[in-house]
Amino acid sequence: KATNDAVPERKDEGTKVTTNTTKVTTDGDEANLSLMAAIKSIVLVQKLFRGFKDRHKWKRRVLIEAWDELERREESELHYSSREIGRMTEMYESLAKSAVIDGDGTKKERRPSVLITEDKKNAFKPSLSWLGTFMDNCRNPSENKAIMEDEQLESLLFQTTAALKKHPNVVDIELKGDVSLIIVGDLHGQVRDLLHILKTQGLPSKNKWFLFNGDFVDRGKNACEVTVILFVLKLLFGDWVFLNRGNHEADDINARDGFMDECTSKYSTAMYKVYNQCFAALPLVHIINKKTMVVHGGLCWDAGVTIENIQKIDRFCLHPPWESVMEDLLWSDPGGPKHCGASQNDRGCGCIFGEDIVDEFFEDNPPLKMVIRSHEKKDQGFEEHFHGKLVTIFSASNYCGDNGNDGAVLEVFPDLKHKIHQFYATPMKEDDAKFSDRYCTLSATVAAKLIHRIAENRLELLEYYSKCTGLTKEAKEVKNDKQSVITRVEWARGLREVLGLQIRFLFLQETLGLPLRGVNGKKKGKINYMEWLSKFAPSNSKLLKLSVKEGGDVKIQETLEKITNLLLKHRVAVKSMFRYFDANCDGKVTPEELTNGLVCLSKVYNEKFSEAEVKELVAELDKDGNDSIDYSEFCEAFSVSNPELAEVIKKVPVDTVMRGSGSKLENAPFSLYRGESKFSLRGIRRARESSPRL
């Protein structure tokens, strides 16, 4: 415009054209500049988004590693604590004898017995129409509602047990023609995954058979629905449906991993007992066309184990014996590509085996050439090991509701070639928020588990950090902020050493209550570990109400402190013991039963408080005088004193957090994992690099 105003208009067309051309060129430059600016903005937004997404994926990978580490530790602690619970239960029974004897000397029935007659055995007759209706109802299952009548379920379990007993330990499957076999891995009570598999693959038929490879129960909230569908399929399509036993089909594991709670809340303790009797009849191994073995866990510690040896095992036990071949088959895991021999499994059972162990097993059991197993969560739902000689298949997608992993099934054909079918069955509320929802749920679960462990081991952490700063016992009593300062690297190293967990704690520092700025005001500077550990002081809402009373007895206060510290560390064992003796499964016990339980706890763990002190405490807890104490609420009310960290724990279901004892088993003697003998040939076997067999 400035150019046009300065130059007067002429009649010369050439000049006029030149002027207009200049104007058009100027407008084109402006458009090009705007376009380039828009492109730069788009590129910048894409760069920022990709960076955010990559960081998000990396954080999620770190969280998954932490979740897996905690999962292995919890399984090991739960398996070992079963022995402690057994000791407590025996003591409890001896102390409670007077409570279960009537005045006339007759013994009361503490738990309802299962009385099954011939009429009840035939009370339920499965059909395809019934199964279809049942599966439709399972699309929106209820967590605490019975899925079928008690008599019908009892009948189904007894019929299934009778059918499974006809099978040997090792079942041969022969595929011919156009028949294929769908192998389904762990389901863990996630009924939507099972429904998705049956919807996409179809029901069993003469051309499509199914093998469900164990771990039907625990973790998920609908294990009863899963087992009912599987057992009905077994009865309807007996020749085309096969079931393997997993490590969770054992009463010492599913009593504390969720299935007992689910079964007793929907039915009764008696029904839970019938379920485990049915699980004890499940076969251990299936072999396809004599060349492919399907087992839940993996191979064994012992050398020279053959199919004939497995066939002779007495599998009809509620849980596998310690240091047995049966235990190894249900618990073992493959190692990495460079792993050699068999070594101790972090789970506390079975072993970690290498490719040489697989080759040795094939040599001892010709013509086997491949092993298919489950037992381990995989992000893609499957993983191949040892150049395709072994395959892991896992069918519980979004495991435990917070892992975000895919599920998969494996289809085997008569020529023993196989095909993987991946899926993600668990629906999310919004597809756009799927990634962030998975991340946030997983982060909260990991944080809650770690907060509990830090609270349980805070005294050990205090001792470790004091050594880092050179603080003496005398100096600890004097508050000195300068002497209580450590670096964040020392903080993370202390957590790894004391908790025995190989987790990247520096990534989780803000989640675990560490301030963003250090004591010197610098971002991520040094921290005061005394202030940080004070946030993890144990707190119990039930006991806290007693301790804050004015004029309370000093002895009661001391007993409160002892029991609070003890129950915080061993609350899982205490709850398991009381639940065993809860006849009507209402989560309540009498004051006498709670007294006996706490006395047993003190004897097993060598704590010094007397029966008189416990009785005085229990009397305070039962102030309303109704002779009933909610032990579940009492045991689950444990938290930490810091409100922000306590809020993190509240966001996660209690059953998800309260697994394992929190104790460090890293430096425990070998006998804690593998029986009474401190030195075992099973533990030191197979440390060879290449192999002539020993």
Side-chain angles (χ1 to χ4, degrees):
K1 284 185 178 180
T3 304
N4 292 338
D5 292 341
V7 179
E9 185 177 355
R10 297 180 181 180
K11 293 183 179 180
D12 190 349
E13 293 296 330
T15 305
K16 191 175 182 180
V17 170
T18 303
T19 304
N20 291 338
T21 302
T22 304
K23 184 177 181 180
V24 170
T25 302
T26 303
D27 292 342
D29 290 341
E30 291 179 357
N32 289 336
L33 290 173
S34 299
L35 180 61
M36 291 178 65
I39 292 174
K40 288 182 178 179
S41 300
I42 293 172
V43 171
L44 180 61
V45 170
Q46 287 180 338
K47 183 179 179 180
L48 292 173
F49 177 75
R50 287 170 181 166
F52 167 79
K53 192 172 181 180
D54 289 341
R55 288 192 299 274
H56 215 49
K57 286 183 177 180
W58 180 82
K59 290 178 180 179
R60 183 169 174 271
R61 186 168 68 248
V62 172
L63 285 172
I64 288 176
E65 290 175 359
W67 195 95
D68 290 341
E69 178 77 5
L70 287 165
E71 178 79 358
R72 289 190 294 268
R73 176 54 56 86
E74 287 168 354
E75 280 196 337
S76 176
E77 291 167 353
L78 285 173
H79 193 73
Y80 173 62
S81 68
S82 64
R83 301 170 68 187
E84 297 175 341
I85 295 173
R87 290 175 59 197
M88 292 171 61
T89 303
E90 290 175 2
M91 288 186 185
Y92 192 101
E93 286 178 328
S94 63
L95 288 172
K97 279 183 179 179
S98 59
V100 297
I101 303 295
D102 280 328
D104 57 0
T106 59
K107 188 176 181 179
K108 293 180 181 179
E109 186 66 42
R110 288 289 305 165
R111 302 168 73 185
S113 60
V114 180
L115 298 176
I116 191 75
T117 62
E118 290 297 327
D119 294 337
K120 287 186 177 180
K121 286 183 180 179
N122 299 319
F124 175 71
K125 294 182 179 180
S127 64
L128 275 177
S129 59
W130 183 92
L131 179 61
T133 304
F134 181 84
M135 291 169 64
D136 288 338
N137 295 334
C138 288
R139 296 186 182 280
N140 295 298
S142 174
E143 292 185 6
N144 297 309
K145 186 178 179 181
I147 51 178
M148 56 193 299
E149 296 295 330
D150 289 31
E151 289 187 358
Q152 288 184 327
L153 182 56
E154 280 185 19
S155 177
L156 172 62
L157 294 176
F158 275 93
Q159 291 180 57
T160 306
T161 303
L164 293 173
K165 284 182 177 179
K166 297 177 182 179
H167 292 299
N169 293 344
V170 181
V171 181
D172 288 318
I173 300 176
E174 189 174 356
L175 301 180
K176 295 181 179 179
D178 57 351
V179 177
S180 64
L181 177 69
I182 303 295
I183 299 177
V184 182
D186 299 33
L187 290 169
H188 281 297
Q190 298 186 187
V191 70
R192 286 177 176 170
D193 289 290
L194 178 58
L195 295 177
H196 178 86
I197 292 168
L198 295 176
K199 180 180 179 180
T200 55
Q201 300 297 329
L203 290 175
S205 65
K206 63 179 181 180
N207 294 327
K208 183 161 287 188
W209 301 355
F210 282 80
L211 169 54
F212 297 92
N213 198 25
D215 277 9
F216 316 133
V217 301
D218 285 339
R219 310 292 170 76
K221 298 297 183 182
N222 303 109
C224 290
E225 287 85 344
V226 169
T227 53
V228 166
I229 293 174
L230 296 183
F231 293 165
V232 170
L233 288 175
K234 178 62 181 175
L235 296 179
L236 291 176
F237 309 101
D239 295 334
W240 306 332
V241 174
F242 306 91
L243 304 175
N244 253 349
R245 187 172 183 175
N247 63 304
H248 283 263
E249 279 72 58
D251 65 346
D252 61 336
I253 300 300
N254 58 43
R256 287 160 291 142
D257 251 6
F259 181 62
M260 183 178 182
D261 285 336
E262 178 189 345
C263 189
T264 53
S265 65
K266 293 178 179 178
Y267 295 99
S268 65
T269 308
M271 191 69 72
Y272 169 73
K273 182 178 179 181
V274 179
Y275 254 113
N276 277 300
Q277 290 172 347
C278 183
F279 293 155
L282 289 165
L284 304 177
V285 173
H286 285 71
I287 296 181
I288 307 169
N289 290 0
K290 302 186 183 300
K291 294 184 178 181
T292 300
M293 185 177 86
V294 184
V295 65
H296 177 74
L299 303 184
C300 307
W301 277 94
D302 297 334
V305 175
T306 63
I307 298 300
E308 288 74 17
N309 299 141
I310 300 174
Q311 200 72 270
K312 295 177 182 178
I313 294 174
D314 181 12
R315 76 175 191 267
F316 297 97
C317 51
L318 296 179
H319 54 269
W322 280 61
E323 290 197 346
S324 65
V325 171
M326 180 178 174
E327 183 187 71
D328 294 339
L329 292 172
L330 302 183
W331 282 90
S332 294
D333 297 297
K338 295 182 179 180
H339 190 92
C340 185
S343 59
Q344 180 62 51
N345 197 333
D346 291 339
R347 299 176 187 264
C349 305
C351 65
I352 303 292
F353 57 91
E355 186 175 2
D356 58 331
I357 304 300
V358 178
D359 293 334
E360 177 187 333
F361 185 77
F362 290 164
E363 290 176 13
D364 294 335
N365 297 275
L368 285 180
K369 294 184 178 179
M370 185 178 180
V371 176
I372 299 173
R373 46 91 65 176
S374 302
H375 192 46
E376 279 187 293
K377 174 187 70 68
K378 300 297 180 183
D379 287 341
Q380 303 301 319
F382 75 98
E383 184 178 347
E384 293 189 351
H385 312 263
F386 310 141
H387 307 93
K389 298 175 186 177
L390 186 141
V391 177
T392 296
I393 197 77
F394 192 85
S395 302
S397 63
N398 194 27
Y399 183 43
C400 295
D402 53 22
N403 271 260
N405 62 286
D406 290 331
V409 296
L410 185 144
E411 186 173 9
V412 182
F413 302 98
D415 58 0
L416 298 183
K417 293 182 179 180
H418 63 268
K419 181 180 180 181
I420 303 291
H421 302 276
Q422 293 176 274
F423 62 88
Y424 187 88
T426 307
M428 306 297 287
K429 294 181 180 179
E430 298 179 9
D431 290 338
D432 293 339
K434 182 188 296 183
F435 189 84
S436 59
D437 282 352
R438 296 187 195 181
Y439 170 77
C440 293
T441 306
L442 182 62
S443 177
T445 303
V446 171
K449 288 175 180 284
L450 288 175
I451 288 170
H452 266 294
R453 288 180 176 269
I454 293 170
E456 293 163 6
N457 294 275
R458 69 194 184 287
L459 298 180
E460 291 83 353
L461 285 167
L462 178 62
E463 189 70 24
Y464 180 91
Y465 293 140
S466 299
K467 291 179 180 179
C468 291
T469 57
L471 203 61
T472 62
K473 291 184 179 180
E474 293 76 13
K476 288 180 189 178
E477 300 176 359
V478 181
K479 292 185 178 180
N480 190 331
D481 292 340
K482 293 183 179 180
Q483 290 181 324
S484 303
V485 174
I486 57 174
T487 65
R488 294 177 188 252
V489 174
E490 290 175 328
W491 169 82
R493 188 184 299 118
L495 289 174
R496 284 194 297 270
E497 289 288 331
V498 175
L499 301 184
L501 298 171
Q502 297 304 313
I503 293 176
R504 306 184 196 197
F505 286 102
L506 287 174
F507 164 71
L508 300 168
Q509 51 186 304
E510 292 182 26
T511 308
L512 296 178
L514 218 57
L516 180 63
R517 295 189 178 275
V519 293
N520 55 3
K522 293 183 179 180
K523 188 175 180 181
K524 295 186 178 180
K526 294 183 178 182
I527 56 111
N528 188 314
Y529 68 84
M530 296 288 285
E531 292 181 0
W532 177 73
L533 285 174
S534 65
K535 299 178 181 180
F536 295 88
S539 171
N540 184 290
S541 57
K542 294 288 182 183
L543 300 179
L544 187 61
K545 292 179 181 178
L546 302 180
S547 62
V548 298
K549 289 182 179 178
E550 295 182 0
D553 193 341
V554 177
K555 290 185 178 180
I556 291 182
Q557 306 301 324
E558 294 176 354
T559 307
L560 279 172
E561 184 177 352
K562 294 177 184 177
I563 293 180
T564 301
N565 290 324
L566 184 63
L567 287 179
L568 177 64
K569 184 162 287 191
H570 304 291
R571 62 196 181 282
V572 177
V574 175
K575 185 181 176 184
S576 298
M577 181 185 62
F578 283 131
R579 184 169 51 197
Y580 182 84
F581 289 95
D582 184 5
N584 57 1
C585 306
D586 62 351
K588 295 181 180 180
V589 292
T590 64
E592 291 78 16
E593 289 172 331
L594 180 58
T595 300
N596 290 338
L598 294 178
V599 170
C600 294
L601 187 71
S602 67
K603 292 181 179 179
V604 171
Y605 295 108
N606 298 320
E607 294 291 337
K608 296 180 180 179
F609 52 83
S610 65
E611 185 175 352
E613 290 176 320
V614 173
K615 285 183 178 180
E616 197 169 359
L617 172 65
V618 173
E620 290 289 332
L621 290 173
D622 190 35
K623 276 292 187 182
D624 53 2
N626 62 354
D627 290 334
S628 179
I629 298 174
D630 190 329
Y631 68 87
S632 295
E633 183 181 354
F634 177 74
C635 291
E636 293 172 2
F638 285 99
S639 185
V640 292
S641 57
N642 184 266
E644 294 180 1
L645 297 178
E647 190 64 28
V648 174
I649 296 177
K650 288 181 181 179
K651 293 179 181 179
V652 183
V654 175
D655 291 339
T656 304
V657 179
M658 286 181 55
R659 297 183 62 243
S661 64
S663 304
K664 183 182 177 184
L665 302 180
E666 207 80 28
N667 299 324
F670 191 73
S671 58
L672 296 189
Y673 293 104
R674 308 281 317 173
E676 298 298 335
S677 174
K678 187 173 182 179
F679 300 100
S680 172
L681 290 177
R682 294 165 63 85
I684 59 176
R685 174 187 172 269
R686 296 171 171 164
R688 56 188 183 278
E689 295 293 332
S690 56
S691 259
R693 275 195 305 132
L694 300 181

